[in-house]
Structures are given as structure tokens and as C-alpha cells.
Amino acid sequence: MSYGELRVVFLISFLFAGGILLLVLRGLREWHELILTKISRYRKNRKEKMESKPESKFDRSIRYLLETAWGGRISARTFKIVSAGIFLFFLILGAAVFNYSTGLLMGAAACAAPYLLLRVKLERERSHASFEAEQLVVSVLNKYRIFHFNIEEAMEAVIQDVVDLPLTRKMLFRLLIKVRTTKNQEEIRDATKIFAYNIGTNWARMLANNFFQAEANGMNVSVSLEDILSQLREARVLAEERKRSNLESVILVKLFCPGAYLFFAYLAIEKFDLGVTGYLYSQFMTRQGLILFFYFMMLFFTGYLLLELVQNKKFDF
């Protein structure tokens, strides 16, 4: 075969292989697009199926907690899957190292830890946010009147102008975003319920209901806002009286109990000639002394926690 004939054969072979390759690539691209379309359709159908399925109270509470305390970074379903994974990991670890019952206890404690941490954060923010009640309601009422009973413009003005609401402004902003991105009454109601859940008080639930009625039904809620404000002012007086009445408990638990323990320790060391070494030995190296110290600490911390719960009680009526 001459050189010219070899070039022709090579050219024909190259064109033939190129044509086959183009056909294969086109088929692969169509196949890839078909797979992506099916996956997208499957996800859409699954999402619609999940949205049509009624949400349980447990899932709703988890969703509210995640949106409030963690900004809604993950869904309730993902949170449950992660919690279940943590439970299984510590169950297997505890069962392998100790025994099954210990592993079960470790798994339950580790699984509950994320929920409890989020709950503690939520309750702390709720307590602080509840004391912004009067300022929030006064601001909303004033802006509501200024903007001719338009609740959306009133909320936006409060968010922009009032700087003395570090926590409730953020909650109001999230509520306004959700209200403006939908006109569905159920979604508006859900957004107002999340706002009330953020604070967890009666006045927040009443205020959230006013937001819903003003936005979804176009009602004039100025009279209702005035009623909430008057009840908050009465509750403020009662809260100040409760704070003064709890002052004795604060002194008793936080000052008197540790002071009494230190006073009796001083008597034991100085007056009964035990000395520091003898006192420490009697307190921590004997069964009776250790039990008494354990009971004292348990009662002291129980009283301290109860006092903290009373002192950090949310402002409400």
C-alpha cells in the first residue's frame, strides 16, 4: 500500500471513529439528562408527599426548637437521624467496653444532650426576651398607628428604628420575612406561632394572634394591643414585688448556707481542737462525714437551682 493510500485509510478511520464517539457522547448526555430529570422528579414528588403528610406534634416541637434556638440550620428529620446515630454509637461503645445496660444509659444520655442544650439556650433567650415586652408592644402600637394600621409597615419600622430590643427585633424580623414571602393563611399562622414559641409567654401568644389577625384578615388590632400593654404594666408591678420578696431567699441560699458551713468548720477546727488535718479527715475520710457533706451539697445545689428558676422566671401575666 502506497503512502497516499495509507493516508486516505487513516483519514477515513479517524472520521469513522470520531462519528461513533460523537454518537456515544450524545447518547451519554441524553442518558445523563434523563437520570437528572428522574432524580429531580423523584425529589419533587417526595417533597410534595412529605408536605401533604400532616405534621405530628413532636415533629412540630422539634422544628420550632431548631428554628428558634439554632436558626433552622437543619430539619427536624435530620435532627432525629443524627440523634439516633449518636444513640447507636454510644450504645455500641458502652456495650463493648462495659455492658449492655451501661451502653443503653450512655446512649440515652448522649442522645438527649443536643436537645437539652438547645432547650437550655431557648429558655435563657426566652427569659431575656420576655422582659422586652412593654417596649416591644409600645413600639408596635405607635408604629401601627403612624402607618395607618398597616401591620407589615409597622413591624418594619420597629425593626429599623427601635434599638432597645436586641432579641425581639430579630424574632420580629424573621416573622416579617415569612409574612412577606407568603400570602397563605396557614403559613402566616405557623410563622406567628413560631414567634410566640420564641418567647413562650401569654403576652407573646396574644401579640402573635394580633399579628395574624391584622395580616391575614385585615383587622384593626389597636384596641387589643392597648389591652396587652395595660396588662403588662400591671404585671410589671407584680414582678417588682416578687423580686423584693425573693430577696430573703437569695440571702438565705447564696450567703447563709455557705456561711453556716464555714462557721461550723471554724468551730470544729478551733474550738474542738481537731485542726485542719483532723477536720478534713473526719469530713472526707469517714463514712458519716462524707454522707453529711454529700447531703449538704445536694440540698444546697437543689435550693440554688430552684432559686435560679424562680429568679429567671419569664416576665408574663
Side-chain angles (χ1 to χ4, degrees):
M1 184 179 293
S2 64
Y3 178 71
E5 292 175 346
L6 185 63
R7 289 178 62 185
V8 171
V9 171
F10 178 77
L11 180 61
I12 294 173
S13 301
F14 178 77
L15 292 176
F16 181 74
I20 294 176
L21 181 62
L22 289 175
L23 291 175
V24 171
L25 290 176
R26 184 178 178 181
L28 289 175
R29 184 169 61 250
E30 292 178 353
W31 180 70
H32 181 258
E33 291 177 354
L34 180 63
I35 291 178
L36 290 180
T37 302
K38 288 185 176 181
I39 292 174
S40 177
R41 190 179 302 162
Y42 170 76
R43 289 179 176 176
K44 183 178 179 181
N45 293 335
R46 185 179 179 184
K47 183 178 180 182
E48 291 177 353
K49 186 177 179 180
M50 292 180 65
E51 289 179 350
S52 62
K53 185 179 179 181
E55 188 179 34
S56 66
K57 291 183 178 180
F58 177 73
D59 286 343
R60 187 185 300 114
S61 65
I62 294 295
R63 178 168 64 86
Y64 283 4
L65 178 63
L66 292 171
E67 290 188 12
T68 302
W70 208 11
R73 292 183 177 89
I74 61 174
S75 64
R77 182 173 178 270
T78 304
F79 181 80
K80 291 190 294 183
I81 292 174
V82 171
S83 299
I86 293 173
F87 173 78
L88 289 175
F89 174 78
F90 281 94
L91 173 63
I92 296 171
L93 179 65
V97 176
F98 300 101
N99 52 57
Y100 180 77
S101 59
T102 304
L104 189 64
L105 184 62
M106 289 175 59
C111 175
Y115 177 83
L116 293 176
L117 289 174
L118 290 175
R119 193 75 195 185
V120 168
K121 182 182 179 183
L122 172 65
E123 292 301 328
R124 188 186 301 116
E125 290 185 357
R126 277 178 166 182
S127 177
H128 294 159
S130 67
F131 286 92
E132 299 178 7
E134 287 183 79
Q135 180 68 26
L136 176 63
V137 177
V138 167
S139 302
V140 170
L141 181 58
N142 290 338
K143 300 297 183 182
Y144 186 59
R145 288 169 173 167
I146 291 173
F147 289 95
H148 306 289
F149 311 111
N150 187 314
I151 193 63
E152 286 189 20
E153 294 184 0
M155 288 192 291
E156 183 178 3
V158 171
I159 294 167
Q160 292 178 348
D161 300 338
V162 184
V163 297
D164 298 332
L165 303 171
L167 294 175
T168 51
R169 276 177 68 201
K170 298 177 183 178
M171 301 173 187
L172 202 63
F173 177 74
R174 290 195 291 265
L175 173 61
L176 180 61
I177 292 298
K178 291 185 178 180
V179 165
R180 283 187 168 174
T181 53
T182 182
K183 294 301 178 183
N184 184 289
Q185 287 200 4
E186 289 303 320
E187 293 182 359
I188 295 174
R189 184 181 294 277
D190 186 69
T192 56
K193 284 183 177 180
I194 291 177
F195 174 82
Y197 180 86
N198 287 342
I199 306 174
T201 58
N202 291 325
W203 68 261
R205 283 186 282 272
M206 294 175 65
L207 182 61
N209 184 61
N210 281 310
F211 286 150
F212 173 76
Q213 297 297 338
E215 176 64 26
N217 301 323
M219 293 177 58
N220 187 334
V221 295
S222 56
V223 176
S224 180
L225 292 174
E226 291 174 357
D227 181 61
I228 295 174
L229 184 59
S230 64
Q231 293 186 61
L232 286 173
R233 286 170 176 166
E234 294 176 1
R236 174 70 64 183
V237 176
L238 296 176
E240 293 295 333
E241 292 179 358
R242 184 174 66 246
K243 186 176 179 180
R244 287 193 295 269
S245 64
N246 288 334
L247 183 60
E248 295 179 358
S249 301
V250 173
I251 295 174
L252 181 64
V253 174
K254 293 186 177 181
L255 297 178
F256 178 76
C257 290
Y261 177 81
L262 294 175
F263 175 72
F264 285 114
Y266 169 77
L267 291 179
I269 294 172
E270 296 295 332
K271 303 302 180 181
F272 292 93
D273 296 327
L274 283 178
V276 176
T277 305
Y279 170 76
L280 293 176
Y281 177 84
S282 300
Q283 181 72 82
F284 298 106
M285 301 302 294
T286 61
R287 185 171 180 270
Q288 294 84 356
L290 192 59
I291 290 175
L292 287 175
F293 181 78
F294 174 76
Y295 282 152
F296 170 79
M297 295 300 296
M298 185 178 64
L299 293 174
F300 171 73
F301 280 110
T302 301
Y304 182 80
L305 291 175
L306 292 174
L307 183 61
E308 287 294 318
L309 289 175
V310 172
Q311 282 189 307
N312 294 323
K313 188 177 180 180
K314 294 188 290 287
F315 176 66
D316 200 7
F317 51 73

